[in-house]
């Protein structure tokens, strides 16, 4: 954790602790601020560590998925919306995929297959 403390009060952390904190901050759903507070580290300092190259700043970079464009099937006539029905929202990291009511199962299947890692 703390390797040493300078005269001015600045704490020097071990490389192993920094690497562990960066790794923990990349866990899906992890709160960088919450993690920093739990371990007595300034949140801005932890964010700085996550941007440093030697701790794999690119490891958390988004991965581009291949896309294939095909001729769409003729649109099915959507059934009247049932009372209280609403679109489906799928949260993927910082992106939200909204699936409107009445979307064809074939189209939904194609979208979900494209999003599979």
């Amino acid at each position: 954790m703390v390797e040493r403390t300078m005269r001015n009060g600045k704490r020097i952390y071990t490389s192993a602790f920094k690497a562990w904190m960066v790794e923990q901050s990349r866990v899906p759903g992890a709160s960088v601020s919450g993690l920093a507070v739990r371990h007595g580290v300034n949140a801005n300092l932890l964010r700085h560590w996550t941007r440093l190259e030697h701790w794999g700043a690119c490891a958390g970079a988004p991965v581009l998925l291949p896309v294939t464009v095909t001729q769409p099937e003729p649109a099915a006539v959507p059934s009247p919306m049932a009372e209280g029905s609403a679109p489906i929202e799928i949260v993927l990291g910082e992106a939200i995929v909204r699936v409107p009511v009445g979307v064809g199962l074939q189209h939904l299947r194609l979208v979900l297959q494209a999003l599979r890692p």
Side-chain angles (χ1 to χ4, degrees):
M1 190 161 180
V2 176
E3 190 173 297
R4 63 187 164 140
T5 304
M6 307 287 280
R7 286 185 186 175
N8 61 3
K10 179 179 176 182
R11 291 177 281 180
I12 306 299
Y13 297 94
T14 63
S15 293
F17 176 71
K18 292 179 195 178
W20 181 80
M21 289 288 285
V22 168
E23 181 182 319
Q24 293 300 307
S25 72
R26 292 201 174 119
V27 171
S31 165
V32 173
S33 297
L35 181 66
V37 168
R38 278 193 307 277
H39 295 283
V41 176
N42 183 291
N44 290 327
L45 181 59
L46 178 53
R47 285 186 189 93
H48 171 73
W49 292 343
T50 61
R51 288 188 298 268
L52 293 176
E53 207 170 292
H54 59 275
W55 279 305
C58 296
V63 176
L64 297 178
L65 300 173
V67 176
T68 304
V69 179
T70 59
Q71 184 67 19
E73 294 179 19
V77 178
S79 60
M81 276 202 295
E83 192 174 327
S85 61
I88 299 170
E89 291 188 0
I90 303 169
V91 179
L92 299 168
E94 294 181 19
I96 298 175
V97 177
R98 287 189 181 88
V99 181
V101 174
V103 70
L105 291 178
Q106 191 68 2
H107 289 124
L108 181 57
R109 185 176 291 119
L110 288 172
V111 169
L112 294 176
Q113 286 173 347
L115 294 174
R116 186 180 303 156

